[in-house]
Amino acid sequence: MLDMNTVRSELSEAYDLRPSAELAESLSDIYKKMDRVVTPPDFFKAAPYIKAINDLKRERNAVILAHNYMTPDIFHGISDVVGDSLQLAIEAAKVEADVIVQGGVHFMAETSKILSPQKTVLMPDMNAGCSLAESITPAGIEEMRKRYPGAPVVTYVNTTAEVKAASDICCTSSNAIQIVEALEADTVIMTPDQYLAQNVAQKVKNKRIVWWEGSCIVHEQYTAQDINEFREWNPGTVVIAHPECPPSVVEASDFSGSTSGIIKYVTDNKPEKAMLVTECSMASNIADALPEVDFVGPCNMCPYMKMITLEKVLWSLHTMTTQIEVDPAVAEGARLAVQRMIDMSKKLGL
């Protein structure tokens, strides 16, 4: 675990990190991307970190991959590639930089290392895990294979390298339906997200889909009653749900899609009012690009995603000590499962 007192002491000796209105003004182009959701005083505080990180990226030949659930200061201020887990997985294999900094959770950094073993992959906080990833182990995969002999295992990318290596192919929320449909099998095992599997089963009627009973602590909290009560309180709101939500929530919504699918839907349709039934930062990160959309309603915050901060990103680049390593034998098996997903996605035109 990081000793934040030590981190702050060492960083303050190496960089001028005092809040600066003058520096913030020089970064006005960056601030315009987030000024709807980040106050000027908060940006004054963030600006020195943003400058220091962007300077260090050039020195280290580094890129920052940021998931859509990162806070706006990371998403807009320092990231080079943004997207959902599939987009980041694909870009991790393509980037030419020497160093990848993962703006996301631990399994994402593992995936980047698996696909780019020759690169240095930095994880700003090693404790930024994932409740869904931690819900299953290779032993769980073996248990499902024994229960359903011969059925292929489709594993969500929100899993550890060991679990990926024990699987046949990976999927994300944006390609799960197409991946399952394309498999030549009557029964398909999906792990570990039970709700994603159940929502896929609603769309893929010609296969028997069975699942591991894991779930995401962010999306499992929503209920159909929440959606219906919010509609009564705020009529006219377009409700958009992530497929990690329970099927009853997806059914009660107007649209369901992956993080990239949600962004495309809102961008294309520009509803007057939208409620995003997913992680809080999603709306924050697209709000300034869509001033005509009023993002309303409750959201749930991922405590793991929010463990990644500008301070920790700067520390990881400054010290180069937060490096991800994956056992080569495990990495090879996991790489096959992820690469099969990428190859099939390309073949299917996704």
Side-chain angles (χ1 to χ4, degrees):
M1 182 175 292
L2 290 173
D3 179 347
M4 294 310 297
N5 288 328
T6 299
V7 167
R8 287 167 186 145
S9 176
E10 292 194 22
L11 288 180
S12 65
E13 291 178 7
Y15 309 94
D16 183 358
L17 298 174
R18 293 171 297 177
S20 170
E22 182 179 357
L23 181 57
E25 177 60 30
S26 72
L27 300 176
S28 60
D29 287 348
I30 291 176
Y31 184 52
K32 287 177 183 176
K33 299 175 183 178
M34 63 181 100
D35 62 5
R36 190 174 168 188
V37 292
V38 175
T39 67
D42 283 336
F43 192 68
F44 296 168
K45 296 176 185 177
Y49 290 90
I50 291 172
K51 181 180 187 305
I53 290 167
N54 287 333
D55 288 346
L56 259 185
K57 283 195 304 183
R58 288 187 285 271
E59 290 180 27
R60 305 282 199 223
N61 189 23
V63 296
I64 295 177
L65 309 185
H67 191 269
N68 292 303
Y69 295 170
M70 289 290 96
T71 52
D73 52 2
I74 292 174
F75 189 86
H76 294 298
I78 61 172
S79 62
D80 300 287
V81 179
V82 298
D84 64 11
S85 48
L86 174 60
Q87 292 165 325
L88 296 185
I90 292 172
E91 290 303 318
K94 290 164 49 178
V95 295
E96 297 181 357
D98 297 321
V99 179
I100 294 172
V101 183
Q102 197 74 44
V105 290
H106 194 275
F107 75 80
M108 296 179 183
E110 278 191 335
T111 303
S112 291
K113 185 65 177 179
I114 288 164
L115 295 175
S116 300
Q118 76 283 7
K119 299 183 186 301
T120 298
V121 177
L122 301 177
M123 182 65 208
D125 190 328
M126 292 290 185
N127 290 313
C130 171
S131 62
L132 185 57
E134 292 162 7
S135 73
I136 190 166
T137 64
I141 299 286
E142 184 62 25
E143 177 185 328
M144 294 295 284
R145 287 193 188 277
K146 289 178 180 178
R147 198 180 304 172
Y148 305 99
V153 176
V154 180
T155 288
Y156 201 21
V157 292
N158 299 35
T159 46
T160 65
E162 289 82 4
V163 168
K164 289 182 177 73
S167 307
D168 295 301
I169 189 170
C170 287
C171 75
T172 71
S173 56
S174 62
N175 65 17
I177 292 172
Q178 294 89 339
I179 294 287
V180 170
E181 282 182 330
L183 292 174
E184 296 181 359
D186 295 326
T187 299
V188 175
I189 299 166
M190 292 191 71
T191 67
D193 193 311
Q194 60 180 318
Y195 297 131
L196 177 63
Q198 290 166 27
N199 286 317
V200 169
Q202 293 290 324
K203 301 292 186 179
V204 184
K205 301 290 189 179
N206 63 329
K207 295 182 187 292
R208 179 191 183 200
I209 298 174
V210 294
W211 53 81
W212 184 262
E213 293 189 357
S215 56
C216 165
I217 59 172
V218 170
H219 296 99
E220 70 179 353
Q221 296 180 53
Y222 294 103
T223 67
Q225 182 177 346
D226 294 335
I227 306 302
N228 294 330
E229 288 179 353
F230 187 80
R231 284 188 193 281
E232 292 180 10
W233 173 66
N234 204 328
T237 299
V238 174
V239 179
I240 305 163
H242 193 281
E244 288 178 24
C245 293
S248 58
V249 172
V250 170
E251 185 178 355
S253 302
D254 297 294
F255 175 80
S256 176
S258 66
T259 51
S260 61
I262 289 172
I263 292 172
K264 185 178 188 308
Y265 180 88
V266 177
T267 302
D268 290 349
N269 292 278
K270 296 183 176 61
E272 182 179 343
K273 293 184 290 185
M275 174 184 176
L276 304 191
V277 187
T278 186
E279 211 277 344
C280 289
S281 288
M282 274 287 296
S284 298
N285 289 331
I286 61 176
D288 281 274
L290 298 166
E292 58 270 78
V293 180
D294 183 15
F295 292 96
V296 297
C299 64
N300 293 325
M301 187 174 291
C302 175
Y304 301 108
M305 288 284 187
K306 296 313 181 264
M307 293 174 74
I308 307 302
T309 63
L310 288 174
E311 189 174 50
K312 292 175 183 176
V313 172
L314 179 57
W315 174 256
S316 68
L317 273 171
H318 176 69
T319 64
M320 300 293 289
T321 57
T322 58
Q323 297 187 23
I324 289 287
E325 298 295 342
V326 181
D327 178 87
V330 171
E332 181 57 29
R335 188 179 302 115
L336 285 173
V338 175
Q339 193 60 52
R340 286 180 189 130
M341 172 189 71
I342 293 173
D343 292 344
M344 186 175 286
S345 295
K346 289 179 180 177
K347 183 178 179 179
L348 296 171
L350 303 178

